[in-house]
Amino acid sequence: MLYNGPITTEGRPQKRGFLILRIEVSVRLKDKVAVITGATAGMGRASAVLFAREGAKVIMCGRRKKLGEEIAKGIREEGGEAIFIQADVSKSEDVKRVIKAAVDTYG
């Protein structure tokens, strides 16, 4: 969720308790496409969110479809680009499908 509340004179969001609600979107990875495996938990999920915040178009894959779609939706709601493909990377056909989706979607 993008922060649209009070901003301090330094251009930073005001804190509400210990939570800062502003999410900055960078452009360090603008025009890059990232394929993130294991994107429904742990490092994979954190990487997908971080890459999207840095401007990358993210292809997320993992085994848990509902959770993956929720994470991708959250990224899109924050202004990022992300799609989720259910896949098990131990299966070569699933990996081929993920790569095909990446090429078909982002070239």
Side-chain angles (χ1 to χ4, degrees):
M1 176 168 72
L2 293 176
Y3 178 77
N4 62 0
I7 304 293
T8 66
T9 56
E10 294 83 31
R12 285 178 262 143
Q14 290 182 355
K15 292 182 181 180
R16 293 185 181 170
F18 292 101
L19 178 65
I20 296 179
L21 299 175
R22 184 175 187 183
I23 296 172
E24 305 243 355
V25 177
S26 176
V27 292
R28 289 189 330 177
L29 298 178
K30 184 177 187 262
D31 299 325
K32 304 291 183 191
V33 177
V35 176
I36 307 289
T37 62
T40 57
M43 298 274 298
R45 180 179 183 163
S47 296
V49 171
L50 177 62
F51 278 45
R53 286 181 182 160
E54 293 294 328
K57 298 168 184 155
V58 180
I59 309 293
M60 302 168 43
C61 69
R63 294 177 297 185
R64 294 181 279 176
K65 184 176 182 177
K66 184 177 177 182
L67 181 58
E69 289 174 347
E70 288 174 4
I71 296 166
K73 180 181 176 186
I75 289 171
R76 290 189 301 271
E77 287 174 351
E78 289 184 5
E81 286 190 55
I83 64 169
F84 177 78
I85 307 296
Q86 184 178 23
D88 181 343
V89 296
S90 70
K91 298 178 181 176
S92 63
E93 289 304 313
D94 283 6
V95 173
K96 289 176 186 176
R97 197 166 35 80
V98 169
I99 298 306
K100 182 178 180 349
V103 171
D104 290 348
T105 305
Y106 297 115

